[in-house]
Amino acid sequence: MWDLPGPGFEPVSPALSFPNFTGSKDDRGTCQCSVILPDTTFPVERVERLEIIAQTISQKFEKEFSKVKEYVQLISVYEKKLSNLTVRIEIMEKDTISYTELDFELIKVEVREMEKLIKQLKVGFVGSSVIVDQLEVEIRNMTLLVEKLETLDKNNVLAIRRQIVALKNKLKECEDSKVGNLPALPPPPAPGSCAHGGVVNISRPVTVQLNWKGFSYQYGAWGRDYSPQHPGKGLYWVAPLDTDGRTLRYYRIYNTLDDLLLYTNARENWIYYGQGGGLVVYKNNMYVNWYNTGNIAKVNLTTATVALTQTLPDAAYNNRFSYANVGWQDIDLAVDENGLWVTYATEASTGNMVISKLNDTTLEVLNTWHTKQYKPSVTNTFMVCGVLYATRTLNTRTEEIFYYYDTSTGKEGKLNIVMQKMKETLQSINYHPFEQKLFVYNDGYLLNYDLVFQQIPQ
């Protein structure tokens, strides 16, 4: 209950005026009325709680938003991987190349990685998951497709059938020879032997794997070390060139083929530096054309150091007379049963191929032969038992071994041996005398071919 002032009272401020209230007068004429004032206490605690809740919500939002951004990035990355795998599988579906079990295993590993990511996304992704569900379906379909391709590997089936037919023919020949109807053919030459009449045929390519640096490194060489003292115990080597197709900086060495296939136990060495894909390995030494020179360098693979460099007399270099479709192989080294060779051209030979036998210790030229075959019209060469064989392109999937030069007789001539390819360009060809195989670097892929020799009747 309040007593209000009588006449003459002036309010301090209009903001403090009160509304009219019904009142009464007491016995002395004093006005009396009742006024109910609002609660003016400020709710500080409620505001603080509200601020804490707002801050918590903001932190949760930021955390969830960062997750969304991370998921979006991951989805983008794996969409690209999925697209890449799709292209690779389509090639495998349409191609006539025989793929190994490893090719399928590598793809299955990548698919399994994407399956794990999809499961993580489904657990942590809140809200619309249409993209995630779509990716999951595509990955599941891809898994089924790889399994189907693996079971329907028609090329390997055909290869086995051909081997069975060949065995049946041999059995028939043996049976006929017993009754005197047909003499049995002599066995193929022993590994490292030259008791044959030269190369007369070649197998289909076997895809070993992609080079260890990837699809972008389309130029390079690979092979296996050969030593007459230990012919079957050589290490494997892979040497991709830089993407310029010219410079050799790094190479890897593997003790076994299994190590190479699984990319394990590799020794990676650096050299400063080679040029072109015309390199070889012989007796644990790498022989390579040295960068921007006409020199040959001998690199010790045990110490990874240059043991020797020697100028190849009169040899043209730096793309003067390289192979057709392949640059920087003016100087192409080779190994066969007889040792170390080099194929090149000179200004005096007007670009025709020159063959020289080298001393593998000193790199001195021991003997030289001049051919009538123009080197830039040839796509690549290899040596077998002192005979040079040259290839040329027929189309994007076929090469032809079309020319030979026999250094023991000086005779040269034409051949017609068709050679299938996985990709368009053969960057390098190396021969291994013990395995009697070609090691071919084909647009980044490592291929093997078995050679078939003309048998000499006994």
Side-chain angles (χ1 to χ4, degrees), residues 278-296:
L279 62 151
V280 293
V281 173
Y282 183 59
K283 295 182 181 178
N284 200 48
N285 291 293
M286 178 178 284
Y287 298 88
V288 58
N289 177 208
W290 218 226
Y291 189 86
N292 204 36
T293 71
N295 298 342
I296 299 172

Side-chain angles (χ1 to χ4, degrees), residues 33-326:
C33 65
S34 298
V35 178
I36 301 174
L37 297 177
D39 183 7
T40 58
T41 305
F42 188 76
V44 176
E45 294 181 359
R46 292 170 61 189
V47 172
E48 289 178 347
R49 284 199 302 272
L50 186 62
E51 287 180 344
I52 292 171
I53 292 171
Q55 187 175 4
T56 303
I57 292 173
S58 176
Q59 290 174 350
K60 287 183 178 179
F61 175 79
E62 290 294 333
K63 184 177 180 181
E64 293 301 319
F65 186 67
S66 64
K67 280 185 180 179
V68 170
K69 289 195 292 185
E70 181 182 350
Y71 290 153
V72 169
Q73 290 174 352
L74 285 172
I75 288 172
S76 176
V77 169
Y78 277 84
E79 276 184 324
K80 291 178 182 177
K81 284 192 174 185
L82 188 60
S83 176
N84 182 36
L85 277 175
T86 303
V87 172
R88 287 165 59 187
I89 290 175
E90 286 176 353
I91 292 172
M92 292 175 74
E93 278 187 296
K94 298 174 184 177
D95 217 332
T96 58
I97 300 301
S98 176
Y99 291 89
T100 65
E101 183 180 354
L102 180 70
D103 295 313
F104 294 108
E105 285 301 322
L106 291 174
I107 290 180
K108 284 197 276 188
V109 167
E110 294 185 48
V111 172
R112 283 195 290 268
E113 287 179 359
M114 289 194 288
E115 285 176 342
K116 289 180 183 178
L117 176 79
I118 289 297
K119 290 177 181 177
Q120 294 173 4
L121 288 176
K122 291 195 76 174
V123 172
F125 201 84
V126 180
S128 176
S129 59
V130 175
I131 297 177
V132 178
D133 292 338
Q134 185 179 352
L135 279 174
E136 185 180 24
V137 171
E138 290 187 29
I139 290 170
R140 191 183 303 117
N141 291 339
M142 180 170 291
T143 303
L144 295 173
L145 185 56
V146 172
E147 291 174 354
K148 182 180 178 182
L149 278 173
E150 199 172 15
T151 58
L152 297 177
D153 186 11
K154 298 177 182 177
N155 292 313
N156 283 338
V157 172
L158 291 174
I160 293 170
R161 286 179 179 172
R162 283 194 290 268
Q163 290 177 7
I164 291 172
V165 171
L167 286 172
K168 285 182 178 179
N169 290 335
K170 287 183 180 179
L171 285 172
K172 187 177 184 301
E173 290 168 4
C174 287
E175 289 173 355
D176 292 340
S177 65
K178 286 180 181 178
V179 296
N181 293 334
L182 182 70
L185 291 174
S193 169
C194 290
H196 56 74
V199 177
V200 292
N201 209 345
I202 190 170
S203 72
R204 292 180 61 84
V206 174
T207 306
V208 178
Q209 67 175 186
L210 183 68
N211 79 88
W212 57 274
K213 277 197 167 185
F215 293 101
S216 300
Y217 294 83
Q218 296 191 352
Y219 296 86
W222 84 293
R224 190 180 183 190
D225 181 18
Y226 176 69
S227 171
Q229 290 74 30
H230 307 284
K233 296 183 179 180
L235 52 81
Y236 294 84
W237 55 274
V238 183
L241 303 181
D242 285 358
T243 52
D244 62 2
R246 178 183 184 182
T247 312
L248 172 64
R249 301 174 191 267
Y250 298 93
Y251 60 91
R252 279 187 178 179
I253 299 170
Y254 305 87
N255 288 327
T256 68
L257 182 60
D258 287 343
D259 287 341
L260 187 150
L261 292 174
L262 299 172
Y263 299 100
T264 58
N265 303 318
R267 284 181 288 152
E268 185 174 323
N269 293 334
W270 177 85
I271 60 173
Y272 187 83
Y273 32 81
Q275 174 170 281
L279 62 151
V280 293
V281 173
Y282 183 59
K283 295 182 181 178
N284 200 48
N285 291 293
M286 178 178 284
Y287 298 88
V288 58
N289 177 208
W290 218 226
Y291 189 86
N292 204 36
T293 71
N295 298 342
I296 299 172
K298 176 181 178 181
V299 180
N300 186 301
L301 295 185
T302 302
T303 61
T305 57
V306 178
L308 176 69
T309 59
Q310 183 69 263
T311 300
L312 183 61
D314 302 323
Y317 60 94
N318 281 359
N319 264 349
R320 174 60 175 142
F321 296 118
S322 188
Y323 291 130
N325 306 323
V326 180

